Amino acid sequence: MPPRTRSRHLPPSLSRLARPFAAAVSAALLLTACSSGGDTGGSGSDTPVQGGTLTTAVDTEPVSWDVHASTQDITAEIQRQVVDSLVAQDAAGKFHPWLATGWKVSDDYTTYTFDLRTDVTFTDGTRFDAAAVKANFDHIVADPTKSLYAVSLLGPYAGTEVVDADTAKVTFSAPFAPFLQAAGTPYLGFYSPKTLKDDAGKLAAGGPVNVGSGPFLFSRYTKGQSAVLTRNPDYDWAPATAAHTGPAHLDKLEFRFLPTASVRSGALTSGQVQVAKAVPPQNVKAVEANPALDLISRQNPGGNYNLWLNGSLAPFDDQRVREAVQRGIDIDQDVKTVTFGQYPRAWSPISPTTPFYDKTLEGTWPHDPKLSGRLLDEAGWTGRDADGYRTKNGKRLTVQWPQLSIQATREGRDVLGQAIQADLKKIGVEVKRPSLDLGTYNTQVYGGKAHVVDLSWPRFSPDVLWLFLNSGSAPAEGGINATFVKDADLDTWTAEGRATLDEKVHADVYPKVQRRAVDQALVVPLYTQVSLVGTADTVKGLTFSPSNWLTYYDTWLDTK
């Protein structure tokens, strides 16, 4: 078995891929992570202890466990422990070896050739090789998978060529510069080819059928209660960004699904769990004041929690109505009240920790109900009915904003939605918020029948703007462009951005995309998500991925 390279430097041929990210985000990431004490998030100089079970409380349960099909970040976070990726990305945006020992990228970003490790096996004994790369990427784009996110991370995927057992050549039909970043996410992680052949249809159900090559095995899933992962004793191919080699320190990981905020917090303070995701903002001070607990606070990169307005559907086919809604919401007050000041109000569709964030947007479109009133008057909504809502030709100004029932309470978004409804009622706009099951929700939202869609999308890349705003990301094609608008400028700029990693191009096009989306009132940015994670002070070495997902490979429990 050849020794694993531990160098943290890129091969010379790859340095041009790392520089654009490093300069833009390294300082921002350092400034946005903080802890109330202890050494949670880093093992420091202490010697890790082997063994033990770590229990984490999470606020959301995966709808699907198939990381190739799911859009949920909770699926990606948990499955990150089960599936490995070709490359790893560090906090400065640099790429490092993982399952690939090296790679070459064509000058036009249409081909990526990966040299693969020869010592990796899936937990069912199947060897990881170029055929496994092809099987997984082909599975993602296959129609039966019904991928809604991973397929977008493969962009204009044309296929994977098995050059030989240890060399895979991934080809795209158009320049696709963001691929390395995407290839480091769990959404493009690898299942055993045997699983894909025999049990692909069972991946969504979770459990032992989810066979990867990662540091943990997916041992058990009890719907509505928990998922249990156990250590892979043969693991010896961690990424170059990891703090150690060999198997994980912990024997077992248990994830408990506790959607009620008070229950989740109570489980942490009582010691029933050692880690609690999504600490309610109202409980932050209590966690900080508890000497046995630590709090980690980090702003998420990628898409903020935004409202996307369907510009293809009346009345939002009129920009004046969209702008009236955008400026009619008292975002500062609503977000501050609901999140107890823990989440910053957003001004752009992407967060400040995302490369090429446009800071000049801050403060440029404040709450202005008088402007909203004038815009609605100009748009012909001059009447009022008995309930105070505006009318036009006898028809009430009503918009539909569906909510997914299983995620309605996440981060207090249901309460924030009520505040927004109240704000818009003041300017005469009725907002209906039906609570829908997943099937009905997908039909409404991805079928373009909803006026408003709320989305947040963590990703350590400005290419998330292509997903939100390029017409090629149409929901009918598996995309997430909920504006349903084909805008020539947005299409051109986002396409130019993903065709290169040139800093100058990105610094030009991505701020323009953000400004146009706001100016056209296609988006109402609400807040930047903040990962508020509470931990027992016995938890050591807990780390975050660049997309702000918790990773447990280096984690251990201090039992002294």
Side-chain angles (χ1 to χ4, degrees):
M1 183 179 296
R4 183 166 65 85
T5 301
R6 293 299 299 164
S7 171
R8 294 175 184 256
H9 299 286
L10 284 172
S13 62
L14 303 179
S15 61
R16 64 186 176 91
L17 298 175
R19 285 194 296 268
F21 290 96
V25 299
S26 58
L29 287 177
L30 289 172
L31 289 172
T32 55
C34 62
S35 173
S36 63
D39 55 8
T40 302
S43 57
S45 61
D46 294 339
T47 301
V49 175
Q50 292 293 120
T53 297
L54 185 142
T55 304
T56 297
V58 296
D59 63 335
T60 307
E61 181 174 0
V63 175
S64 168
W65 285 99
D66 185 352
V67 77
H68 291 168
S70 177
T71 62
Q72 291 180 282
D73 50 5
I74 187 62
T75 303
E77 182 166 74
I78 296 177
Q79 292 286 50
R80 172 78 294 170
Q81 323 312 317
V82 176
V83 300
D84 293 327
S85 295
L86 286 171
V87 300
Q89 190 179 21
D90 65 23
K94 294 183 179 180
F95 301 105
H96 300 266
W98 195 345
L99 297 186
T101 59
W103 50 93
K104 296 179 182 177
V105 184
S106 65
D107 290 339
D108 63 357
Y109 298 100
T110 60
T111 62
Y112 295 72
T113 304
F114 295 92
D115 298 321
L116 307 177
R117 292 186 64 123
T118 60
D119 58 344
V120 177
T121 56
F122 293 97
T123 55
D124 63 1
T126 304
R127 182 190 167 195
F128 170 78
D129 56 14
V133 175
K134 177 176 174 58
N136 277 265
F137 288 172
D138 287 353
H139 171 254
I140 290 169
V141 301
D143 289 340
T145 304
K146 297 181 180 179
S147 176
L148 293 176
Y149 184 48
V151 69
S152 70
L153 294 180
L154 278 176
Y157 177 72
T160 298
E161 176 187 350
V162 179
V163 178
D164 57 46
D166 307 319
T167 311
K169 182 179 181 180
V170 183
T171 304
F172 300 93
S173 60
F176 190 49
F179 177 58
L180 278 185
Q181 187 278 329
T185 68
Y187 295 108
L188 299 190
F190 297 102
Y191 290 117
S192 166
K194 186 177 185 299
T195 287
L196 294 180
K197 179 182 178 181
D198 298 339
D199 295 308
K202 300 177 183 178
L203 289 172
V209 73
N210 283 242
V211 177
S213 63
F216 291 91
L217 294 80
F218 197 155
S219 299
R220 186 173 71 252
Y221 168 51
T222 305
K223 187 175 178 60
Q225 297 182 33
S226 65
V228 177
L229 313 183
T230 54
R231 181 171 58 184
N232 175 4
D234 299 321
Y235 193 72
D236 196 29
W237 40 85
T241 53
H244 81 286
T245 60
H249 300 308
L250 295 166
D251 287 333
K252 187 183 296 184
L253 290 172
E254 181 176 0
F255 296 90
R256 294 185 185 174
F257 310 120
L258 302 177
T260 303
S262 59
V263 174
R264 202 163 54 253
S265 294
L268 176 66
T269 56
S270 66
Q272 297 177 55
V273 303
Q274 291 81 47
V275 178
K277 287 267 295 178
V279 171
Q282 63 268 31
N283 295 125
V284 164
K285 292 188 182 301
V287 172
E288 290 176 328
N290 190 324
L293 301 177
D294 292 315
L295 181 83
I296 308 171
S297 175
R298 289 171 53 108
Q299 288 188 17
N300 287 359
N304 285 316
Y305 179 52
N306 303 314
L307 303 184
W308 295 96
L309 308 187
N310 186 344
S312 71
L313 193 64
F316 283 163
D317 55 350
D318 187 328
Q319 181 181 332
R320 294 170 296 187
V321 179
R322 298 198 303 269
E323 189 175 351
V325 166
Q326 182 191 68
R327 302 296 288 274
I329 302 172
D330 191 354
I331 299 173
D332 287 295
Q333 185 60 47
D334 294 347
V335 169
K336 181 179 180 180
T337 300
V338 173
T339 73
F340 290 77
Q342 295 297 321
Y343 292 3
R345 178 250 165 93
W347 294 98
S348 163
I350 61 175
S351 75
T353 55
T354 309
F356 304 101
Y357 167 75
D358 184 10
K359 187 175 177 60
T360 67
L361 273 172
E362 296 179 6
T364 60
W365 52 280
H367 178 224
D368 192 343
K370 291 183 178 179
L371 173 61
S372 296
R374 291 196 300 271
L375 289 168
L376 292 176
D377 287 341
E378 292 173 11
W381 294 92
T382 55
R384 295 273 185 171
D385 63 17
D387 294 317
Y389 293 111
R390 287 180 175 260
T391 60
K392 181 179 181 180
N393 299 324
K395 183 179 179 180
R396 177 182 286 187
L397 179 51
T398 301
V399 297
Q400 297 285 337
W401 175 12
Q403 57 182 330
L404 184 58
S405 58
I406 58 174
Q407 292 193 21
T409 61
R410 177 183 177 183
E411 298 171 355
R413 291 179 181 181
D414 53 339
V415 179
L416 181 59
Q418 294 168 11
I420 291 171
Q421 282 179 301
D423 289 340
L424 294 181
K425 182 175 183 180
K426 293 175 182 177
I427 64 169
V429 179
E430 180 184 39
V431 180
K432 291 187 175 180
R433 297 215 65 199
S435 181
L436 306 178
D437 61 74
L438 180 61
T440 306
Y441 180 87
N442 284 342
T443 298
Q444 291 285 324
V445 169
Y446 295 108
K449 300 176 182 178
H451 292 98
V452 182
V453 176
D454 55 319
L455 287 173
S456 56
W457 214 270
R459 187 180 176 192
F460 192 49
S461 170
D463 186 58
V464 71
L465 291 167
W466 187 95
L467 298 175
F468 284 141
L469 293 162
N470 191 286
S471 62
S473 182
E477 304 298 325
I480 59 169
N481 184 346
T483 73
F484 291 87
V485 168
K486 181 177 177 61
D487 181 274
D489 287 334
L490 292 174
D491 281 353
T492 297
W493 296 332
T494 53
E496 288 178 356
R498 66 169 22 191
T500 182
L501 286 177
D502 187 307
E503 284 185 281
K504 293 181 179 179
V505 173
H506 285 187
D508 174 45
V509 299
Y510 284 126
K512 289 194 296 188
V513 171
Q514 295 165 67
R515 289 193 293 269
R516 184 161 181 80
V518 171
D519 290 345
Q520 294 290 309
L522 295 170
V523 62
V524 186
L526 295 178
Y527 60 75
T528 294
Q529 282 185 289
V530 177
S531 291
L532 297 172
V533 180
T535 74
D537 61 6
T538 55
V539 177
K540 310 295 181 181
L542 188 66
T543 58
F544 284 83
S545 73
S547 292
N548 245 18
W549 294 316
L550 289 176
T551 58
Y552 297 89
Y553 170 65
D554 288 321
T555 305
W556 56 281
L557 293 172
D558 185 355
T559 57
K560 296 178 181 179

